[in-house]
Amino acid sequence: MKTRYLSIVVSLFLLAVDFNTTIVWGQSEDSQTSESVSESDANVPGAAVHEHSDAERIAELIEAIESDQEQLAALTAEFDSPESEYAMAEREFRSLNEGRDKLLEELESVKA
């Protein structure tokens, strides 16, 4: 169950990263060019339009991936921690489930 939860968390995380990447880089060249002009430069006639080079895009994506990997490592460490919300909830569930099983056994023995 723990690996399933982690798998879901990782899948959602990767989906969010993919979505963010699509939003940032999935636009057409025309929309990137018009958005890359700052508001102050947009009013200046003949202002140079700064287009991101492939190297700049790659560098930004690498930074984003490294940041995402750090976040994933922190979330994984938190998830694996014995004091995590998941671990505490699982311990409480197991305790309650064992108590229920004992009560059911007592009930069966009283009925017999």
Side-chain angles (χ1 to χ4, degrees), residues 29-46:
E29 288 295 321
D30 295 334
S31 64
Q32 283 180 355
T33 302
S34 63
E35 290 176 6
S36 65
V37 177
S38 69
E39 290 179 20
S40 61
D41 291 342
N43 297 328
V44 177

Side-chain angles (χ1 to χ4, degrees), residues 8-108:
I8 291 169
V9 169
V10 170
S11 296
L12 289 174
F13 179 75
L14 292 174
L15 181 63
V17 168
D18 184 48
F19 180 74
N20 186 34
T21 303
T22 302
I23 295 296
V24 173
W25 301 112
Q27 302 166 346
S28 70
E29 288 295 321
D30 295 334
S31 64
Q32 283 180 355
T33 302
S34 63
E35 290 176 6
S36 65
V37 177
S38 69
E39 290 179 20
S40 61
D41 291 342
N43 297 328
V44 177
V49 175
H50 175 71
E51 293 184 26
H52 291 287
S53 70
D54 289 342
E56 289 173 320
R57 286 189 210 135
I58 291 170
E60 289 175 3
L61 286 173
I62 288 172
E63 287 177 19
I65 289 170
E66 289 172 351
S67 171
D68 293 342
Q69 287 175 336
E70 290 172 5
Q71 262 186 320
L72 178 60
L75 290 172
T76 302
E78 180 183 335
F79 177 76
D80 290 339
S81 168
E83 298 305 316
S84 71
E85 183 178 350
Y86 175 82
M88 291 187 300
E90 187 170 354
R91 280 193 302 270
E92 182 179 357
F93 172 79
R94 288 179 190 260
S95 172
L96 292 171
N97 198 37
E98 288 173 7
R100 182 189 64 93
D101 289 343
K102 288 178 183 176
L103 289 173
L104 286 175
E105 287 176 14
E106 288 178 24
L107 182 62
E108 289 297 319

